[in-house]
Amino acid sequence: MEKIEKQPTFMDGVRACVPTIFGYLGIGFAMGVVGKGIGLSVWQIFLMSLIVYAGSAQFIICGMLAIQAPFSSIVATVFFVNLRHLLMSLSVSPYFQKYSLLGNIGVGTLLTDESYGVLTTYLRQNRPISLAWMNGLNLLAYLVWIVATVLGGVSGRFVTNPETFGLDFALVAMFLGLFLFQAEVEMKRQTKKTL
């Protein structure tokens, strides 16, 4: 009799997101402080996180708004910086072909560098994934990002110079941390293989 593999649930995806949460809290908070520092209201920071939902793009938008760049330049820059999301979505789309178009749009819309990293790690380890699992991973990350940026925006009025706290370096630090975490996981996996 063939063993039926249990499909991971929404809550399994939420649990898979936990390491990402810590990064999002710090980077999102920094984004909110930077946004407040250039004169955005908390409401504008909330809307940017809700609609744009891309840390690198949001930092770029803040930097370009600070130098009063034309709107067309901001849109073009954000488009090219985030073009990688199209490639990431295309690379994982075969794993979600059996799901509806709406489900696939949801996965692609909320896919970030971090959730892509978690997803590809699961795929490389031959761990099962499902649309519900991916939604748990993506939705929790999305909500945490929004909350963190709003908290940063609220606290931003108390931080007059974000650079003194290194908040302008926060995004780079998060990517470095994620890279080191992935490298450590891969080294452990390779060590287990050779034993």
Side-chain angles (χ1 to χ4, degrees):
M1 193 161 131
E2 190 177 316
K3 183 183 175 184
I4 298 174
E5 193 171 299
K6 179 183 170 264
Q7 288 293 304
T9 65
F10 182 88
M11 287 310 295
D12 292 329
V14 167
R15 281 187 285 278
C17 186
V18 170
T20 304
I21 290 173
F22 298 114
Y24 273 21
L25 286 172
I27 302 306
F29 187 84
M31 172 50 231
V33 170
V34 168
K36 191 67 175 171
I38 65 151
L40 295 178
S41 69
V42 174
W43 179 246
Q44 289 169 322
I45 292 167
F46 167 75
L47 284 176
M48 188 190 311
S49 295
L50 187 72
I51 297 167
V52 177
Y53 182 49
S56 57
Q58 289 177 243
F59 277 104
I60 289 169
I61 290 169
C62 288
M64 293 183 81
L65 286 174
I67 62 169
Q68 299 178 350
F71 180 73
S72 58
S73 296
I74 295 172
V75 170
T77 303
V78 168
F79 174 78
F80 285 114
V81 165
N82 285 329
L83 200 53
R84 71 188 186 283
H85 289 281
L86 174 64
L87 299 175
M88 291 188 304
S89 295
L90 288 174
S91 76
V92 298
S93 63
Y95 299 99
F96 296 98
Q97 282 181 343
K98 63 182 177 185
Y99 300 107
S100 70
L101 176 62
L102 187 60
N104 278 279
I105 289 171
V107 168
T109 301
L110 296 180
L111 190 68
T112 63
D113 297 315
E114 296 77 20
S115 62
Y116 179 78
V118 173
L119 172 61
T120 55
T121 299
Y122 269 61
L123 292 173
R124 198 170 57 241
Q125 295 171 350
N126 293 319
R127 294 169 74 176
I129 60 165
S130 67
L131 183 63
W133 176 87
M134 195 67 205
N135 286 336
L137 173 67
N138 278 343
L139 286 172
L140 181 61
Y142 181 54
L143 294 174
V144 168
W145 178 258
I146 292 169
V147 169
T149 57
V150 168
L151 289 174
V154 169
S155 303
R157 63 183 167 169
F158 304 111
V159 181
T160 55
N161 190 2
E163 292 83 17
T164 58
F165 296 101
L167 296 180
D168 54 334
F169 186 69
L171 191 63
V172 175
M174 182 185 76
F175 281 118
L176 181 60
L178 287 170
F179 171 75
L180 293 174
F181 173 73
Q182 291 296 333
E184 181 183 1
V185 168
E186 186 61 27
M187 285 174 53
K188 285 180 181 176
R189 191 172 77 83
Q190 291 298 328
T191 304
K192 283 182 183 176
K193 256 186 173 178
T194 57
L195 296 178

